[in-house]
Amino acid sequence: MLEVKKISEKITELRQEIFVIQQLIQRDRKRNISSTFMGELWEIINPLINMIVMVLVFGKMFGNASDKLFPLYVLTGTTIYGLFTSGTTMCLNALSGNKNFLIKTQIKKNIYVLEKVLLAFRNFLFSIIIYLFVIAIYRISPSWTWLYVIPDIFLLLIMMQGMGKLLATINVSFADITYFYKIFTLMLMYGSALFYRMDRLAPYVQDVMVINPIYMAITIARVAIMDKTSPSLTMWLVMVVYAMLGYVFGTYVFEKESDNIVAKL
């Protein structure tokens, strides 16, 4: 009976946390343009606009005249990069932006970070609509290898959760981290092969790019969707290692500073 009671309490607690996350997501949507029809529409077409701009600007420079799938190549990169940057950037204010909740309620602090990551994932699902539309335009037939994208995105979300905890914790004591993180994400954009082919880079540069987890997440998706082949074991190892390291380290810092967060706010 005691075990059943504990399980029941855990289920009740989980339901409460899910309800809180839903309420926080609705609140954040109302705070920005996504609460309007045009805002929702913009979330859907924004990836397409980014793809068009990058193809027009970089197509002649980095593309290949015989490569008709270059727009899809770019869209795959910008969509996954957008998920990572939007989620981790929102996590910066996950704690500092919920000061009143932290003071007045007993909600677990990690819920605020998780909500930001899930909100970014929700927006990512909207962008998938445009992605499928582009796939239909190029008449790419479905393949079972597309299923590899599921664990790929899952590992990316785990890493985002860990980085989100780390960024949210740092932002409580050092608010200027926001400006430095913008520079970091800009560097990350140019280092993730969003709009250029890797074979145009020197071999040693290609070796360095492999250690970039965002580039690796993008590459896995491109290989699975565009090439319709299985990503290599090296790709998966890089993603798993970075996801675990990012989550463990971020969680460690978050838990270590957890008791001091409210006082610093």
Side-chain angles (χ1 to χ4, degrees):
M1 289 296 293
L2 184 60
E3 291 296 328
V4 174
K5 183 178 180 180
K6 287 183 178 180
I7 294 175
S8 177
E9 290 175 351
K10 287 293 182 180
I11 293 175
T12 301
E13 183 180 353
L14 179 60
R15 287 177 177 174
Q16 291 174 344
E17 291 178 354
I18 293 175
F19 175 76
V20 170
I21 291 174
Q22 290 175 337
Q23 295 303 307
L24 290 173
I25 289 177
Q26 291 180 10
R27 183 203 62 181
D28 286 346
R29 287 184 59 231
K30 292 179 181 179
R31 284 181 174 178
N32 54 48
I33 60 172
S34 66
S35 61
T36 66
F37 171 76
M38 287 304 298
E40 298 283 1
L41 181 62
W42 176 255
E43 288 181 358
I44 296 175
I45 66 174
N46 188 44
L48 179 63
I49 294 174
N50 287 335
M51 180 200 74
I52 293 173
V53 171
M54 285 195 171
V55 169
L56 290 176
V57 174
F58 300 107
K60 295 292 184 181
M61 188 182 306
F62 298 107
N64 189 318
S66 62
D67 186 4
K68 296 180 179 179
L69 293 180
F70 185 67
L72 185 60
Y73 177 90
V74 172
L75 183 59
T76 304
T78 55
T79 300
I80 294 178
Y81 169 81
L83 168 63
F84 175 81
T85 54
S86 65
T88 52
T89 299
M90 286 191 292
C91 285
L92 282 164
N93 296 317
L95 298 177
S96 58
N98 289 288
K99 180 179 179 179
N100 291 333
F101 283 100
L102 288 169
I103 295 175
K104 298 178 181 179
T105 67
Q106 297 296 321
I107 300 174
K108 293 180 180 178
K109 297 180 180 66
N110 66 299
I111 292 295
Y112 301 106
V113 177
L114 178 60
E115 179 264 330
K116 300 296 184 183
V117 173
L118 292 178
L119 178 58
F121 180 66
R122 170 192 173 277
N123 296 337
F124 168 77
L125 294 178
F126 275 114
S127 67
I128 294 299
I129 298 174
I130 287 295
Y131 194 86
L132 294 175
F133 173 72
V134 174
I135 284 180
I137 290 177
Y138 284 100
R139 297 180 180 179
I140 299 176
S141 58
S143 171
W144 68 268
T145 59
W146 290 11
L147 295 175
Y148 283 122
V149 176
I150 297 175
D152 181 32
I153 297 301
F154 179 72
L155 290 172
L156 183 62
L157 291 174
I158 291 176
M159 186 175 67
M160 287 169 57
Q161 179 72 0
M163 284 195 62
K165 289 181 179 181
L166 179 63
L167 291 170
T169 304
I170 295 175
N171 192 49
V172 171
S173 304
F174 183 61
D176 289 339
I177 186 65
T178 301
Y179 303 104
F180 290 99
Y181 193 66
K182 287 181 179 179
I183 297 173
F184 172 76
T185 54
L186 181 62
M187 294 172 59
L188 194 64
M189 181 186 73
Y190 288 107
S192 297
L194 301 187
F195 48 81
Y196 57 84
R197 295 287 188 179
M198 282 291 289
D199 55 14
R200 295 200 171 195
L201 302 178
Y204 73 91
V205 178
Q206 296 182 34
D207 293 337
V208 173
M209 291 282 286
V210 173
I211 66 175
N212 179 355
I214 309 306
Y215 164 73
M216 197 54 61
I218 293 171
T219 301
I220 289 175
R222 285 170 174 165
V223 169
I225 296 173
M226 298 178 63
D227 300 336
K228 296 182 181 180
T229 58
S230 301
S232 68
L233 180 60
T234 300
M235 294 179 184
W236 287 117
L237 287 176
V238 171
M239 281 303 300
V240 169
V241 168
Y242 272 98
M244 294 299 102
L245 286 178
Y247 183 81
V248 170
F249 181 71
T251 301
Y252 170 76
V253 174
F254 186 84
E255 296 296 334
K256 183 179 180 182
E257 299 295 327
S258 181
D259 295 335
N260 301 321
I261 288 175
V262 175
K264 291 180 179 179
L265 289 173

